[in-house]
Amino acid sequence: MKRKNHLQTALKYIILGLLAIIVLLPIYYLLVTTFKSSAEATMAPMALPKSFDFGGYAYAFEKMQYPRAFKNTLVITVCSVAGIVVCASMLGYALNRREERKLSKFTFLFILSGMLFPAQMSVLGLYKLIQGLHMMNQLSAVILINIAANMAYAAFMFKSFVSTIPIELEEAARIDGAGTLRTFWTITFPLMKPIVATIAILNALTLWNDFMTPLYFLQKRENDVLLQEIYRNVGQFSTDWTSLFQMLVLGALPLLLFYLFMQRFIIGGVMSGSVKG
Amino acid sequence: MKNDLRKKKELPYILMGIPGVSIFFVFFIMPLLFTVRYSFFNWTNFSPDISFNGLDNYKKLFHDSTILYGIKNALVYAVVTVFLQSLIALPVSAALNTKFRGRNLFRATFFCPAVLSTLVVGYLWKYLLSASELGFINQVMNRIGVGTVNFLGDKRYALASIIFTQVWQWFGWSMVIYLGNLQSISGDLYEAASIDGAGTLRKFWHITIPGLAPALKINLITGMISGLKVFDIVISMTGGGPAHKTDTILTLMYAKFADGNYGYAAAFGIMFLLVSLVVSRVLLGLFGAWERRLGQ
C-alpha cells in the first residue's frame, strides 16, 4: 500500500514536471534569445547566452518609443480600473440598498442586459459615436469605452457583495450624522476590499493586454499603446526580426514583474472572480 | 412635506448610480443601437454621404463566402480550445488540490502564460513554428528526422497551430477556476465514498465532476464566448491566412473596417451578435438539462 503511494507521488511529479517544462520552455527561449547574436541563436537555441549584450534592448526600446507607449498603456489601464471600481461600487451599492424600489429593479435589469451583448459587436457604432464626440485618438475615449464595457459585470459583483455587509454598521454612522455618500466611502467601501481587489486585478490584466480597442480608436502613433508598437514594428509594416524578441520581452515585462510579486493575489482574484459569477 | 423628506432620502442613492449608468448608456448601449442602425446604411470612407440602403449590406454578407469561413473557424476554434483546455486543466487541478511540496510553484508556473499578452504569445509562437531555418520546432523535427512542416502556411495545420498556442496560454486560467471550485467540495463526501469502497476514478466521476458543475459552466460558457471573439492571436500569427483558413468573424470585421466599408463592417458586428447569442442559448440549455438531472 505504502509503495503504491510512493509510486503515485513520483508519477505525479513527473507528469506535472513535464507540463511545467512545456509551459516554461518557450518563455525561457524568448528570454535567452534576446541576448544572443542570430548565429548563436540558430546554433545553440537552448543554451544560456555566452555574454549578456543589452544592445538589442536599447535598440528596441528606442524603436518602440517605449517611455511614451508605456505611459499611454499605464494611463489607460489605471484610469479605466479606477473608473470601473468607483462607478460600479457606488452603483452596486445603491442597487443593493434600494433593492425594493422600482427604479432600482429597472436599472438592474438594464445593466444586466449588457452582459448579453458582447462589446466587440458594437465597434462600428462606437466609431461613429467617438467621431461625433471628436474623441478619436484620445486616451479618454478608450478609457470610457473600457469602463462601459466592464460596468455590467463589476456592478453585478459589487451588488451581490454588498449584501454580505451588515446594514447596522452604516446605521451607526448615520446616527452620528454622516450622509449617505460619506457613510459609503468611510464605512462600506473599506469593507469591500476583497471584491475591489478581485475586480481591479481581473480588469487590470485584461485591459493592459487589450489590443483591439486601441487598434480601432488610437490610430495616431503619438497616442498608441505598447502592443500597437509591437504590431507596428514586427507585424504591420515590416518584420524587424533583429529586435523582435527584445520588443516582445519589453512588451510583456511589466505584467510579468507584476505577476511575480502579486502572484497569490492575481490567482486568488481569478478564482473568486469567476466561480461566483 | 413627508414626500419631500422621502425624496431627499432617495436622492443620494440616485446620484451614486448616475456616473455608472450614464457611462454605460452612452458608451455601451448607444453604440449598440448605432451599430444596428448603420448596418442598414451605405456608410463608407470613400463618400461623405451616408444613405439608407435597406438590406443591401446583409445581402452582400450572405453572398460573401468569407463570412462562412469566419463563423466556421470561430466555432471550431472555440469548441476545440475550450475542450482541450479543460481536458488538461481538470486532472491537473485535481492533482494540485492535494497537499504536497511544490504545489504552489506548479500552480504559479501553469498560470504564468495567461499574464502575457496574447499578441506577444502569437509573435513568439509564430517565430518558434516558423518553417524557415530559424524556427525552433522545425529544427527539432529535422533533427529527429520528421522533416519540416509549414505549420502556419499550410491550410491543414494553420488553425490547429493557433489552437495549440492558445491551449498552452490559457489552460492555467481554467485550472485556477477548477481549483477554486474543488476547494469548496466537502472532504466528507470522499471519505464516505471510500468507506463504501469507491476507487479514485469512481470518486472522480461521481463526486468531483458533479461538484464541479459551477466551474465547468463558467469555463465552458465564458471560454466559448471568448473563443468566438478570437482576434489578437490570428492577427499576430497568420493575419487570417492561408486562404481565409484562420479568419474569424472579428478579423473579417476589422478587415472591412480597415478598407473603409463601415456599414458593411457593422453588419458583421450584428452577425457576430447572432452567433454568440445562439451559442450561449444552446450552452445554457445543455447545462440546465444537466443540472436538472443532477438535481434528481
Side-chain angles (χ1 to χ4, degrees), chain B residues 6 13 75 78 118 171 189 285 291 296:
Chain B
R6 250 184 65 191
Y13 291 99
L75 282 173
T118 303
F171 84 89
L189 287 173
E291 278 165 349
Q296 277 169 9

Short mmCIF file of all heavy atoms in Angstrom, two decimals, chain B residues 6 13 75 78 118 171 189 285 291 296:
data_model
loop_
_atom_site.label_atom_id
_atom_site.label_comp_id
_atom_site.label_asym_id
_atom_site.label_seq_id
_atom_site.Cartn_x
_atom_site.Cartn_y
_atom_site.Cartn_z
N ARG B 6 -38.89 62.07 1.92
CA ARG B 6 -38.58 60.78 1.32
C ARG B 6 -37.73 60.94 0.07
O ARG B 6 -36.79 60.23 -0.17
CB ARG B 6 -39.88 60.03 0.98
CG ARG B 6 -40.08 58.83 1.91
CD ARG B 6 -41.29 58.03 1.52
NE ARG B 6 -41.17 57.41 0.22
CZ ARG B 6 -42.19 56.85 -0.41
NH1 ARG B 6 -43.37 56.83 0.14
NH2 ARG B 6 -42.01 56.29 -1.58
N TYR B 13 -28.81 58.12 -3.28
CA TYR B 13 -28.65 56.82 -3.95
C TYR B 13 -28.72 56.99 -5.46
O TYR B 13 -27.97 56.36 -6.21
CB TYR B 13 -29.72 55.84 -3.48
CG TYR B 13 -29.55 55.43 -2.05
CD1 TYR B 13 -30.28 56.02 -1.03
CD2 TYR B 13 -28.61 54.45 -1.72
CE1 TYR B 13 -30.11 55.64 0.29
CE2 TYR B 13 -28.42 54.07 -0.40
CZ TYR B 13 -29.18 54.67 0.61
OH TYR B 13 -28.99 54.29 1.89
N LEU B 75 -16.13 29.00 -34.57
CA LEU B 75 -16.79 27.92 -33.83
C LEU B 75 -15.82 26.77 -33.56
O LEU B 75 -15.73 26.27 -32.44
CB LEU B 75 -18.01 27.42 -34.60
CG LEU B 75 -19.27 28.28 -34.51
CD1 LEU B 75 -20.34 27.77 -35.45
CD2 LEU B 75 -19.79 28.30 -33.07
N ALA B 78 -13.33 27.85 -30.96
CA ALA B 78 -13.89 27.95 -29.61
C ALA B 78 -14.12 26.56 -29.01
O ALA B 78 -13.70 26.28 -27.89
CB ALA B 78 -15.19 28.75 -29.64
N THR B 118 -1.74 38.22 -25.44
CA THR B 118 -1.95 37.23 -26.49
C THR B 118 -1.17 37.61 -27.75
O THR B 118 -0.63 36.75 -28.46
CB THR B 118 -3.45 37.12 -26.81
OG1 THR B 118 -4.13 36.78 -25.61
CG2 THR B 118 -3.71 36.04 -27.84
N PHE B 171 -4.70 27.21 -20.49
CA PHE B 171 -5.20 26.09 -19.66
C PHE B 171 -5.01 26.40 -18.17
O PHE B 171 -5.80 25.96 -17.33
CB PHE B 171 -4.56 24.75 -20.05
CG PHE B 171 -3.22 24.50 -19.42
CD1 PHE B 171 -3.12 23.88 -18.18
CD2 PHE B 171 -2.05 24.88 -20.05
CE1 PHE B 171 -1.89 23.64 -17.58
CE2 PHE B 171 -0.82 24.65 -19.46
CZ PHE B 171 -0.74 24.05 -18.23
N LEU B 189 -17.59 13.91 1.66
CA LEU B 189 -18.14 13.10 0.58
C LEU B 189 -17.15 12.03 0.15
O LEU B 189 -17.51 10.88 -0.06
CB LEU B 189 -18.47 14.00 -0.61
CG LEU B 189 -19.70 14.90 -0.47
CD1 LEU B 189 -19.79 15.84 -1.65
CD2 LEU B 189 -20.95 14.04 -0.38
N GLY B 285 -28.91 25.96 -22.28
CA GLY B 285 -29.91 24.90 -22.34
C GLY B 285 -29.32 23.56 -21.93
O GLY B 285 -29.90 22.84 -21.13
N GLU B 291 -28.05 20.06 -15.03
CA GLU B 291 -28.28 20.38 -13.63
C GLU B 291 -29.59 19.79 -13.13
O GLU B 291 -29.69 19.36 -11.99
CB GLU B 291 -28.26 21.91 -13.42
CG GLU B 291 -26.84 22.43 -13.30
CD GLU B 291 -26.74 23.94 -13.47
OE1 GLU B 291 -27.74 24.58 -13.89
OE2 GLU B 291 -25.68 24.48 -13.18
N GLN B 296 -32.02 15.47 -9.59
CA GLN B 296 -32.98 14.40 -9.33
C GLN B 296 -32.47 13.37 -8.33
O GLN B 296 -31.29 13.07 -8.32
CB GLN B 296 -33.33 13.68 -10.63
CG GLN B 296 -34.42 14.42 -11.39
CD GLN B 296 -34.59 13.89 -12.79
OE1 GLN B 296 -34.00 12.86 -13.13
NE2 GLN B 296 -35.34 14.58 -13.61
#
